[in-house]
Amino acid sequence: MTQTTGNAAESLIVQDLTKDFAGLRAVDGVSFTVNPGEILGLIGPNGSGKTTTINVVTGLLNITSGSVRLGSLDMTGWQPHRIARAGLARTFQIVRLFKDFTVRENVEVAAVASGNARGKVVADRADRALRQLGIFHLANTPARVLPQGEERLVEIARAIATEPRFLLLDEPGAGLNDAEIESFLPTLRRLRTDLGCGILIVDHDMRLIMNLCDRIHVLNYGKTIAEGTPGEVRREPAVIEAYLGAEEAA
Ligand SMILES: Nc1ncnc2c1ncn2[C@@H]1O[C@H](COP(=O)(O)OP(=O)(O)OP(=O)(O)O)[C@@H](O)[C@H]1O
Ligand SMILES: [Mg+2]
């Protein structure tokens, strides 16, 4: 399979990533590159290794073998906080907010934790992140009363308040209704343009994935089975068989 290289000096480059859990190879020799300003989709059936890939890339899980680089910077084996400071931010499949904090406090905490902002810079970044996601009006709302769609947006605001170079989103569309997915698309496109960051997005919502991504990487049982544009991937027999089914591909 050919590997897209792009601007190697700036790209997030994952090479031959393998992750074993006791007796199970969850990710098996996966390679992909996310270029700055690009949206790469990572899709595949349940248990195919998508979340594990994000967890290894962000340092939450130890890598078994392979490498993770940011341009020429080799981050393999780094701790999560160091990887975050190098410019990788992520969201979780299950939203993790401080329920007793307001939306603004949740975003400010993330900006502070990134280690590169203090005082007024933190407040300014939180403001900007909330505006970019269209949730500035919720700034003083306690996180615990938010519906699921808005929780997802706050999680992304937390990630972008760290001013990342790459954003890794694990199922941001999960639990959103059709209207929420519809308004989510332009928001995510705008992030790419406004922030210039590269985005890796995992989701099972094919409307979101097919309409948003420049390229898509497909996993099955931890292995890459296809990579290409949405049009290419959707026609790939191995992808139709393992994941999409004939209906989605039509
Ligand atoms: N901490 C862990 N210990 C042992 N096995 C794990 C662990 N985390 C994940 N797995 C296993 O690794 C495989 C890949 O799981 P992963 O969560 O990465 O899949 P996924 O593609 O994100 O699936 P989904 O679409 O359901 O979120 C699965 O078989 C899962 O059971
Ligand atoms: Mg997952």
Side-chain angles (χ1 to χ4, degrees), residues 11-208:
S11 301
L12 173 63
I13 304 158
V14 173
Q15 227 156 11
D16 281 331
L17 190 156
T18 293
K19 177 62 189 178
D20 290 342
F21 295 112
L24 172 78
R25 180 148 290 186
V27 183
D28 191 354
V30 168
S31 299
F32 58 82
T33 297
V34 192
N35 297 309
E38 180 184 44
I39 305 184
L40 179 71
L42 182 63
I43 65 171
N46 294 119
S48 57
K50 306 178 299 293
T51 296
T52 303
T53 298
I54 291 185
N55 286 344
V56 172
V57 168
T58 54
L60 210 65
L61 289 173
N62 293 329
I63 199 165
T64 301
S65 63
S67 67
V68 180
R69 285 181 291 137
L70 197 54
S72 57
L73 189 66
D74 189 347
M75 305 190 295
T76 315
W78 284 17
Q79 292 297 308
H81 69 272
R82 202 167 160 215
I83 293 177
R85 283 175 194 196
L88 263 59
R90 58 94 48 95
T91 63
F92 289 88
Q93 188 164 349
I94 297 163
V95 175
R96 304 176 171 190
L97 296 179
F98 297 104
K99 296 280 185 187
D100 293 331
F101 285 14
T102 65
V103 166
R104 167 187 291 284
E105 285 164 346
N106 267 281
V107 178
E108 286 184 345
V109 166
V112 171
S114 74
N116 56 8
R118 297 163 77 176
K120 170 128 178 34
V121 175
V122 168
D124 288 348
R125 276 214 208 153
D127 276 3
R128 203 176 323 132
L130 293 172
R131 286 185 208 283
Q132 273 163 335
L133 288 161
I135 51 172
F136 188 75
H137 60 289
L138 297 175
N140 297 319
T141 304
R144 68 168 62 257
V145 309
L146 296 176
Q148 202 167 12
E150 286 168 346
E151 279 187 341
R152 294 266 171 210
L153 294 174
V154 177
E155 249 229 329
I156 299 174
R158 283 171 52 80
I160 67 172
T162 68
E163 301 205 328
R165 293 165 68 186
F166 290 91
L167 191 56
L168 293 82
L169 305 171
D170 197 354
E171 299 204 23
L176 304 196
N177 62 35
D178 281 358
E180 285 169 327
I181 291 278
E182 208 59 58
S183 67
F184 205 37
L185 270 167
T187 306
L188 289 176
R189 284 204 191 98
R190 219 173 34 243
L191 286 189
R192 176 238 304 258
T193 329
D194 289 358
L195 305 175
C197 69
I199 299 176
L200 178 77
I201 178 170
V202 169
D203 214 278
H204 288 290
D205 188 305
M206 283 308 107
R207 198 162 37 125
L208 187 61

Side-chain angles (χ1 to χ4, degrees), residues 43 205-213 216 229-231 233-234 244 248:
I43 65 171
D205 188 305
M206 283 308 107
R207 198 162 37 125
L208 187 61
I209 290 291
M210 295 293 172
N211 282 301
L212 188 66
C213 297
I216 299 175
T229 63
V233 159
R234 160 192 275 149
L244 289 183
E248 284 282 3

